[in-house]
Amino acid sequence: MNIAFIGLGSMGTPMARNLISAGFPLAGYDLNSNAVAAFAANGGKPAVTAQAAAAGADAVILMVVNAAQAEQALFEGGVLDALAPAGTVVLMATCPPGAVKTMAARVEKTGRSFLDAPVSGGVAGAEAATLSIMVGAPKAAFERMEPVLRALGDKLFHVGTEAGQGATVKVVNQLLCGVHIAVAAEGFALANKVGIDPKVILEILSGSAAASWMLKDRGPRMLQDDPAVTSTIDIFVKDLGLVLEAGREAKAALPLAAAAYQMFLATSGRGDGAIDDSQVIRSYDLLNRGQP
């Protein structure tokens, strides 16, 4: 199966590398020339445009930033027209369910297949091919692309037969992730306010019923002044924004997601959008102590 890979960013590059290692012929494109050079060094076939990468391909994987980029590449950038007539579009970016449904309808109208297949696991999961992949697609399309997806992740879920269902599962995942980070920061902020050693709080909570994966992962970084960046504040501004958009589409009340979104947005608004997402705690400190 000849595959085109569009979007060679921090996750796309290792994902593409894993497909090449699994033996799939891969053409790739990214706006960043350095990313394309790295892709070529890993054994991929670089292309000068997204359309050129997709020319005659059996499938195209979109690992772009958002729905707008996916739509641009597919419909304005010529990717869909260049894809083989019976080809498959695999959208792996985090996008609003409504936008995914609209894209799928436009793709399927041409006789091609569409997989709504967002991922979770971050750069570490992309590097190790241990991503969780949540697929909304007809069974036949899912089964056709299953070998490709299994080269990218070890947790593959067929969550439904309709486009938008995978996106909805990813939105729920990001809702919990964002709220868990924010509420962990809120807990530390309360302890800080009354002078309790945050290291002691972290040790206690990590072994109690209050523990979560996010607490154990982000908690230690919340205690650092300038931790290494694994995921940025602005990623959660984007993702929690998508959560709220999905809530509006479904007419579902999401008050906790809205509160968490405001804390990440406040942190970004002060110019800290590119720092580690654990540092949403700075907004709590500013609220409670009058200093960042």
Side-chain angles (χ1 to χ4, degrees):
M1 183 183 295
N2 291 306
I3 302 171
F5 202 105
I6 312 300
L8 301 166
S10 57
M11 290 185 66
T13 288
M15 289 168 69
R17 184 171 63 242
N18 289 333
L19 288 172
I20 294 167
S21 297
F24 292 101
L26 209 65
Y29 173 75
D30 193 278
L31 290 171
N32 185 330
S33 59
N34 291 331
V36 175
F39 172 75
N42 289 331
K45 179 183 176 182
V48 294
T49 65
Q51 184 177 26
D58 300 300
V60 58
I61 294 174
L62 298 168
M63 192 59 194
V64 292
V65 173
N66 52 32
Q69 285 193 2
E71 291 166 352
Q72 196 285 326
L74 278 174
F75 308 123
E76 299 172 31
V79 167
L80 185 60
D81 289 338
L83 191 64
T88 302
V89 173
V90 184
L91 178 63
M92 306 195 80
T94 300
C95 300
V100 172
K101 291 178 185 178
T102 299
M103 271 188 275
R106 292 182 67 180
V107 168
E108 291 167 351
K109 193 173 181 179
T110 70
R112 298 172 175 90
S113 300
F114 187 96
L115 264 71
D116 165 25
V119 302
S120 180
V123 175
E127 292 276 0
T130 56
L131 293 169
S132 294
I133 307 174
M134 300 145 273
V135 182
K139 185 178 179 182
F142 170 76
E143 290 177 346
R144 184 164 59 251
M145 295 304 299
E146 186 173 355
V148 176
L149 299 177
R150 290 202 180 278
L152 299 171
D154 62 353
K155 294 172 283 295
L156 180 59
F157 304 96
H158 188 205
V159 302
T161 59
E162 297 179 9
Q165 291 177 317
T168 299
V169 174
K170 178 60 188 292
V171 160
V172 171
N173 183 82
Q174 295 310 97
L175 188 164
L176 268 67
C177 288
V179 169
H180 283 182
I181 294 172
V183 79
E186 188 165 304
F188 281 125
L190 175 58
N192 288 339
K193 183 72 173 179
V194 298
I196 299 173
D197 185 345
K199 293 180 182 178
V200 173
I201 286 290
L202 178 60
E203 183 177 357
I204 294 169
L205 295 182
S206 295
S208 78
S212 70
W213 190 94
M214 281 298 188
L215 171 68
K216 293 179 181 179
D217 185 77
R218 294 330 198 251
R221 299 209 293 275
M222 288 182 185
L223 309 188
Q224 301 174 31
D225 291 333
D226 190 22
V229 177
T230 61
S231 174
T232 68
I233 291 288
D234 276 346
I235 286 176
F236 271 99
V237 172
K238 174 180 73 75
D239 285 358
L240 285 172
L242 295 179
V243 168
L244 297 177
E245 183 175 341
R248 286 192 297 272
E249 290 174 354
K251 292 184 171 57
L254 305 174
L256 297 181
Y261 173 75
Q262 291 298 327
M263 297 307 295
F264 283 101
L265 186 63
T267 311
S268 179
R270 293 199 317 276
D272 286 338
I275 65 174
D276 190 68
D277 58 28
S278 64
Q279 296 308 293
V280 69
I281 195 170
R282 295 185 186 183
S283 288
Y284 284 99
D285 289 340
L286 186 63
L287 284 171
N288 288 318
R289 299 193 306 197
Q291 61 185 38

